[in-house]
Short mmCIF file of all heavy atoms in Angstrom, two decimals:
data_model
loop_
_atom_site.label_atom_id
_atom_site.label_comp_id
_atom_site.label_asym_id
_atom_site.label_seq_id
_atom_site.Cartn_x
_atom_site.Cartn_y
_atom_site.Cartn_z
N ALA A 239 0.84 -1.22 -0.01
CA ALA A 239 0.01 0.00 0.00
C ALA A 239 0.87 1.27 0.00
O ALA A 239 0.51 2.27 -0.64
CB ALA A 239 -0.94 -0.01 1.21
N HIS A 240 1.98 1.21 0.71
CA HIS A 240 2.84 2.40 0.77
C HIS A 240 4.26 1.97 1.13
O HIS A 240 4.47 1.17 2.03
CB HIS A 240 2.32 3.38 1.83
CG HIS A 240 2.99 4.72 1.73
ND1 HIS A 240 2.49 5.73 0.98
CD2 HIS A 240 4.11 5.23 2.33
CE1 HIS A 240 3.27 6.80 1.10
NE2 HIS A 240 4.27 6.50 1.90
N VAL A 241 5.21 2.52 0.36
CA VAL A 241 6.62 2.33 0.66
C VAL A 241 7.12 3.51 1.49
O VAL A 241 6.99 4.66 1.08
CB VAL A 241 7.45 2.21 -0.63
CG1 VAL A 241 8.95 2.24 -0.32
CG2 VAL A 241 7.11 0.92 -1.35
N ILE A 242 7.65 3.21 2.68
CA ILE A 242 8.13 4.27 3.59
C ILE A 242 9.63 4.42 3.40
O ILE A 242 10.38 3.45 3.65
CB ILE A 242 7.82 3.93 5.02
CG1 ILE A 242 6.34 3.69 5.24
CG2 ILE A 242 8.32 5.01 6.01
CD1 ILE A 242 5.95 3.07 6.54
N ASN A 243 10.07 5.56 2.95
CA ASN A 243 11.50 5.86 2.89
C ASN A 243 11.81 6.99 3.84
O ASN A 243 11.48 8.15 3.55
CB ASN A 243 11.93 6.24 1.45
CG ASN A 243 13.42 6.53 1.37
OD1 ASN A 243 13.87 7.65 1.55
ND2 ASN A 243 14.21 5.50 1.11
N PRO A 244 12.36 6.71 5.02
CA PRO A 244 12.56 7.73 6.04
C PRO A 244 13.39 8.90 5.53
O PRO A 244 13.12 10.06 5.91
CB PRO A 244 13.26 6.98 7.17
CG PRO A 244 12.89 5.57 6.96
CD PRO A 244 12.78 5.38 5.51
N ASP A 245 14.37 8.64 4.70
CA ASP A 245 15.24 9.74 4.19
C ASP A 245 14.42 10.72 3.36
O ASP A 245 14.52 11.92 3.53
CB ASP A 245 16.40 9.15 3.38
CG ASP A 245 17.37 8.32 4.20
OD1 ASP A 245 17.23 8.35 5.44
OD2 ASP A 245 18.21 7.64 3.62
N GLN A 246 13.63 10.19 2.46
CA GLN A 246 12.81 11.08 1.61
C GLN A 246 11.74 11.80 2.42
O GLN A 246 11.45 12.98 2.17
CB GLN A 246 12.16 10.27 0.48
CG GLN A 246 13.16 9.77 -0.56
CD GLN A 246 12.52 8.95 -1.67
OE1 GLN A 246 11.37 8.51 -1.57
NE2 GLN A 246 13.25 8.79 -2.76
N GLU A 247 11.18 11.10 3.41
CA GLU A 247 10.18 11.71 4.25
C GLU A 247 10.73 12.91 5.02
O GLU A 247 10.04 13.96 5.12
CB GLU A 247 9.57 10.69 5.22
CG GLU A 247 8.88 9.51 4.60
CD GLU A 247 7.42 9.83 4.17
OE1 GLU A 247 6.99 10.97 4.43
OE2 GLU A 247 6.82 8.99 3.54
N VAL A 248 11.93 12.77 5.53
CA VAL A 248 12.51 13.86 6.30
C VAL A 248 12.87 15.02 5.42
O VAL A 248 12.79 16.19 5.85
CB VAL A 248 13.68 13.39 7.16
CG1 VAL A 248 14.97 13.28 6.33
CG2 VAL A 248 13.93 14.29 8.34
N VAL A 249 13.29 14.79 4.18
CA VAL A 249 13.60 15.87 3.24
C VAL A 249 12.31 16.64 2.90
O VAL A 249 12.32 17.87 2.80
CB VAL A 249 14.31 15.35 2.01
CG1 VAL A 249 14.42 16.43 0.93
CG2 VAL A 249 15.68 14.82 2.37
N LEU A 250 11.22 15.89 2.72
CA LEU A 250 9.94 16.58 2.47
C LEU A 250 9.54 17.50 3.65
O LEU A 250 9.08 18.63 3.43
CB LEU A 250 8.86 15.55 2.21
CG LEU A 250 8.92 14.80 0.88
CD1 LEU A 250 7.85 13.71 0.85
CD2 LEU A 250 8.71 15.76 -0.28
N ALA A 251 9.76 17.00 4.86
CA ALA A 251 9.48 17.81 6.05
C ALA A 251 10.36 19.03 6.08
O ALA A 251 9.91 20.14 6.46
CB ALA A 251 9.66 16.98 7.30
N LEU A 252 11.64 18.88 5.71
CA LEU A 252 12.57 19.99 5.68
C LEU A 252 12.11 21.05 4.63
O LEU A 252 12.13 22.25 4.93
CB LEU A 252 13.98 19.47 5.32
CG LEU A 252 15.04 20.51 5.05
CD1 LEU A 252 15.29 21.36 6.33
CD2 LEU A 252 16.34 19.83 4.60
N GLU A 253 11.72 20.60 3.45
CA GLU A 253 11.26 21.52 2.42
C GLU A 253 10.07 22.31 2.91
O GLU A 253 10.00 23.53 2.69
CB GLU A 253 10.93 20.74 1.17
CG GLU A 253 12.07 20.20 0.37
CD GLU A 253 11.61 19.53 -0.91
OE1 GLU A 253 11.54 20.22 -1.95
OE2 GLU A 253 11.34 18.32 -0.87
N ARG A 254 9.09 21.63 3.53
CA ARG A 254 7.90 22.35 4.02
C ARG A 254 8.28 23.38 5.05
O ARG A 254 7.74 24.50 5.07
CB ARG A 254 6.90 21.34 4.59
CG ARG A 254 6.28 20.42 3.58
CD ARG A 254 5.07 19.71 4.16
NE ARG A 254 5.43 18.78 5.21
CZ ARG A 254 5.65 17.49 5.07
NH1 ARG A 254 5.56 16.95 3.85
NH2 ARG A 254 5.93 16.71 6.09
N MET A 255 9.23 23.06 5.92
CA MET A 255 9.63 23.98 6.99
C MET A 255 10.30 25.24 6.39
O MET A 255 10.08 26.35 6.88
CB MET A 255 10.59 23.28 7.94
CG MET A 255 10.83 24.03 9.23
SD MET A 255 11.86 23.04 10.38
CE MET A 255 10.69 21.77 10.86
N LEU A 256 11.13 25.04 5.36
CA LEU A 256 11.83 26.16 4.77
C LEU A 256 10.91 27.04 3.88
O LEU A 256 11.17 28.21 3.70
CB LEU A 256 13.03 25.68 3.97
CG LEU A 256 14.15 25.03 4.77
CD1 LEU A 256 15.27 24.56 3.86
CD2 LEU A 256 14.69 25.99 5.82
N GLU A 257 9.88 26.42 3.34
CA GLU A 257 8.93 27.16 2.52
C GLU A 257 8.09 28.14 3.34
O GLU A 257 7.56 29.11 2.78
CB GLU A 257 8.00 26.19 1.74
CG GLU A 257 8.68 25.50 0.59
CD GLU A 257 7.75 24.46 -0.04
OE1 GLU A 257 6.64 24.25 0.47
OE2 GLU A 257 8.16 23.85 -1.02
N VAL A 258 7.94 27.86 4.63
CA VAL A 258 7.16 28.72 5.49
C VAL A 258 8.09 29.30 6.56
O VAL A 258 8.27 28.72 7.64
CB VAL A 258 6.00 27.94 6.15
CG1 VAL A 258 5.13 28.88 7.00
CG2 VAL A 258 5.17 27.22 5.12
N PRO A 259 8.74 30.44 6.29
CA PRO A 259 9.69 31.02 7.23
C PRO A 259 9.05 31.27 8.59
O PRO A 259 7.95 31.75 8.70
CB PRO A 259 10.10 32.33 6.56
CG PRO A 259 9.77 32.15 5.13
CD PRO A 259 8.59 31.27 5.10
N GLY A 260 9.78 30.87 9.65
CA GLY A 260 9.29 31.09 10.99
C GLY A 260 8.51 29.95 11.55
O GLY A 260 8.24 29.85 12.75
N ALA A 261 8.11 28.97 10.69
CA ALA A 261 7.31 27.86 11.13
C ALA A 261 8.16 26.82 11.81
O ALA A 261 9.25 26.53 11.37
CB ALA A 261 6.57 27.22 9.96
N MET A 262 7.63 26.24 12.90
CA MET A 262 8.28 25.14 13.61
C MET A 262 7.79 23.80 13.03
O MET A 262 8.55 22.83 13.01
CB MET A 262 7.97 25.22 15.10
CG MET A 262 8.51 26.47 15.74
SD MET A 262 7.74 26.76 17.36
CE MET A 262 8.08 25.23 18.22
N GLU A 263 6.57 23.78 12.62
CA GLU A 263 5.98 22.58 11.97
C GLU A 263 5.06 23.04 10.88
O GLU A 263 4.34 24.04 11.00
CB GLU A 263 5.18 21.75 12.99
CG GLU A 263 6.00 21.11 14.09
CD GLU A 263 5.14 20.28 15.05
OE1 GLU A 263 4.24 19.59 14.56
OE2 GLU A 263 5.37 20.36 16.27
N VAL A 264 5.02 22.27 9.78
CA VAL A 264 4.13 22.53 8.69
C VAL A 264 3.48 21.18 8.28
O VAL A 264 4.20 20.30 7.85
CB VAL A 264 4.84 23.16 7.46
CG1 VAL A 264 3.85 23.41 6.34
CG2 VAL A 264 5.53 24.46 7.86
N ASN A 265 2.17 21.09 8.41
CA ASN A 265 1.48 19.83 8.08
C ASN A 265 0.42 20.14 7.02
O ASN A 265 -0.58 20.78 7.29
CB ASN A 265 0.82 19.28 9.34
CG ASN A 265 1.81 18.95 10.42
OD1 ASN A 265 2.71 18.12 10.20
ND2 ASN A 265 1.67 19.54 11.58
N PRO A 266 0.69 19.68 5.79
CA PRO A 266 -0.28 19.96 4.72
C PRO A 266 -1.41 18.93 4.68
O PRO A 266 -1.23 17.73 5.01
CB PRO A 266 0.58 19.84 3.45
CG PRO A 266 1.62 18.87 3.80
CD PRO A 266 1.87 18.98 5.29
N PHE A 267 -2.59 19.36 4.26
CA PHE A 267 -3.73 18.48 4.05
C PHE A 267 -4.34 18.81 2.67
O PHE A 267 -4.11 19.89 2.13
CB PHE A 267 -4.82 18.68 5.14
CG PHE A 267 -4.36 18.28 6.52
CD1 PHE A 267 -3.88 19.24 7.41
CD2 PHE A 267 -4.35 16.96 6.91
CE1 PHE A 267 -3.46 18.90 8.67
CE2 PHE A 267 -3.92 16.59 8.19
CZ PHE A 267 -3.48 17.54 9.06
N ALA A 268 -5.09 17.86 2.16
CA ALA A 268 -5.79 18.05 0.87
C ALA A 268 -4.79 18.50 -0.20
O ALA A 268 -5.06 19.44 -0.96
CB ALA A 268 -6.95 19.08 1.02
N GLY A 269 -3.67 17.80 -0.27
CA GLY A 269 -2.71 18.09 -1.31
C GLY A 269 -2.07 19.46 -1.19
O GLY A 269 -1.60 20.02 -2.17
N GLY A 270 -2.02 20.02 0.05
CA GLY A 270 -1.43 21.33 0.27
C GLY A 270 -2.36 22.51 0.20
O GLY A 270 -1.99 23.63 0.48
N ARG A 271 -3.64 22.20 -0.10
CA ARG A 271 -4.61 23.32 -0.16
C ARG A 271 -4.95 23.83 1.23
O ARG A 271 -5.44 24.96 1.39
CB ARG A 271 -5.91 22.81 -0.83
CG ARG A 271 -5.74 22.72 -2.35
CD ARG A 271 -7.07 22.33 -3.01
NE ARG A 271 -7.36 20.94 -2.71
CZ ARG A 271 -8.59 20.43 -2.76
NH1 ARG A 271 -9.62 21.21 -3.05
NH2 ARG A 271 -8.79 19.17 -2.50
N VAL A 272 -4.66 23.05 2.28
CA VAL A 272 -4.86 23.46 3.67
C VAL A 272 -3.58 23.11 4.42
O VAL A 272 -2.95 22.08 4.16
CB VAL A 272 -6.02 22.69 4.30
CG1 VAL A 272 -6.19 23.06 5.77
CG2 VAL A 272 -7.31 22.97 3.54
N LYS A 273 -3.15 24.03 5.31
CA LYS A 273 -1.97 23.80 6.09
C LYS A 273 -2.18 24.06 7.57
O LYS A 273 -2.81 25.09 7.93
CB LYS A 273 -0.81 24.64 5.57
CG LYS A 273 -0.34 24.20 4.19
CD LYS A 273 0.86 25.01 3.67
CE LYS A 273 1.30 24.51 2.32
NZ LYS A 273 2.41 25.33 1.79
N LEU A 274 -1.74 23.15 8.39
CA LEU A 274 -1.73 23.32 9.84
C LEU A 274 -0.31 23.65 10.24
O LEU A 274 0.61 22.86 10.05
CB LEU A 274 -2.21 22.04 10.54
CG LEU A 274 -2.16 22.03 12.05
CD1 LEU A 274 -3.17 23.03 12.62
CD2 LEU A 274 -2.50 20.61 12.58
N ILE A 275 -0.09 24.83 10.80
CA ILE A 275 1.23 25.37 11.01
C ILE A 275 1.49 25.68 12.47
O ILE A 275 0.63 26.25 13.15
CB ILE A 275 1.47 26.64 10.17
CG1 ILE A 275 1.41 26.30 8.67
CG2 ILE A 275 2.77 27.33 10.51
CD1 ILE A 275 1.42 27.46 7.74
N GLY A 276 2.65 25.28 12.97
CA GLY A 276 3.05 25.62 14.33
C GLY A 276 4.08 26.75 14.30
O GLY A 276 5.06 26.69 13.56
N VAL A 277 3.84 27.79 15.10
CA VAL A 277 4.73 28.98 15.09
C VAL A 277 4.76 29.59 16.48
O VAL A 277 3.76 29.55 17.20
CB VAL A 277 4.26 29.98 14.02
CG1 VAL A 277 2.86 30.50 14.34
CG2 VAL A 277 5.23 31.13 13.85
N ARG A 278 5.87 30.18 16.84
CA ARG A 278 5.96 30.91 18.10
C ARG A 278 5.51 32.35 17.90
O ARG A 278 5.89 32.98 16.91
CB ARG A 278 7.39 30.85 18.68
CG ARG A 278 7.47 31.49 20.07
CD ARG A 278 8.82 31.27 20.71
NE ARG A 278 9.07 29.88 21.03
CZ ARG A 278 8.61 29.25 22.11
NH1 ARG A 278 7.86 29.92 22.96
NH2 ARG A 278 8.93 28.01 22.33
N VAL A 279 4.71 32.84 18.82
CA VAL A 279 4.18 34.22 18.72
C VAL A 279 5.30 35.22 19.08
O VAL A 279 5.86 35.17 20.16
CB VAL A 279 3.00 34.42 19.67
CG1 VAL A 279 2.47 35.85 19.59
CG2 VAL A 279 1.88 33.42 19.29
N CYS A 280 5.63 36.07 18.11
CA CYS A 280 6.67 37.10 18.34
C CYS A 280 6.17 38.19 19.25
O CYS A 280 4.95 38.45 19.32
CB CYS A 280 7.09 37.71 16.98
SG CYS A 280 8.14 36.65 15.99
#
């Protein structure tokens, strides 16, 4: 059903984090049309 490649998964997480400056976590849903983002309040 799904091949898990930890190296590729972590690079995807890294890309998402760098695409959203200031974000601690970026979790996309619905193919990226919705995002749940963790950020510290400045």
Side-chain angles (χ1 to χ4, degrees):
H240 192 90
V241 170
I242 303 167
N243 181 270
D245 294 349
Q246 291 181 343
E247 297 280 356
V248 80
V249 171
L250 288 173
L252 172 63
E253 288 184 89
R254 292 194 294 264
M255 192 175 289
L256 294 179
E257 285 174 357
V258 184
M262 298 163 56
E263 294 181 40
V264 180
N265 299 301
F267 295 99
R271 284 182 289 158
V272 178
K273 292 182 179 178
L274 177 65
I275 295 174
V277 63
R278 185 172 292 279
V279 178
C280 284

